[in-house]
Amino acid sequence: MTDNGKVTNIFLSGVGGQGTILASNILAEVFLGAGYDVKKAEVHGMAQRGGDVTTHFRFGKKVYSPLIEYGEADFLLSFELLEAARYINWVKPEGKIIINKQAILPPAVSLGQVEYPGDIEKTFRKHFKDNVWIINGQEIARELGNIQAANVVLTGAFSNFFPEIKEEKWTDAIKVLLPTKLHELNAKAFYEGRKII
């Protein structure tokens, strides 16, 4: 555990059913296990109807509030392109962004009322340069046998930013939070994600 007093802010976003909350729970298991103080807050009111889901996740030696200040996220971990764009202004200029290359059409787009933005990747790269990773998590998860493991693929990629935490801590957290029948699949998803960054 580093002891510099710094609090790391991670903003997670996605659409209901993509496993945003599970990903934040994995992070909580890992960083609590590493000895950090952890705080998180979730918003998922319309998640079961395809609405957005967000989690404010913070860890450090001591964290006093679960909420990230606007523009202070060190990381944006997003499981859907539009849900990443929606929260771009929460990320600090030197922040790092990991996005699942998946577009889930909101109702207004499906009804033809508005168009889905076509330049989300370009927008992120314009503002954050080389600190952006667009990952085809659902395709990797599909090849492993279950598209629902895309969140764990991205979590695996994200884990590379914390080399002081051993891989086993992450896979142990997955085992704690998921049923036994899903352990092998999600461990594979984690390791495939870890290869990407």
Side-chain angles (χ1 to χ4, degrees), residues 19-98:
T20 305
I21 303 299
L22 173 61
S24 69
N25 288 342
I26 292 171
L27 267 57
E29 281 287 325
V30 168
F31 290 109
L32 280 170
Y36 291 103
D37 188 19
V38 171
K39 299 278 190 304
K40 68 177 191 138
E42 304 158 352
V43 177
H44 48 92
M46 296 297 285
Q48 291 182 339
R49 295 187 179 185
D52 69 326
V53 179
T54 61
T55 299
H56 290 229
F57 185 97
R58 309 182 75 211
F59 75 90
K61 183 177 180 182
K62 183 65 184 170
V63 182
Y64 293 98
S65 168
L67 299 179
I68 299 169
E69 287 187 40
Y70 190 71
E72 289 298 317
D74 296 289
F75 293 92
L76 172 62
L77 179 58
S78 185
F79 303 100
E80 201 271 342
L81 286 164
L82 186 57
E83 294 305 320
R86 192 188 305 269
Y87 299 103
I88 189 171
N89 291 332
W90 282 82
V91 185
K92 57 175 61 171
E94 69 274 23
K96 295 176 175 57
I97 295 111
I98 302 169

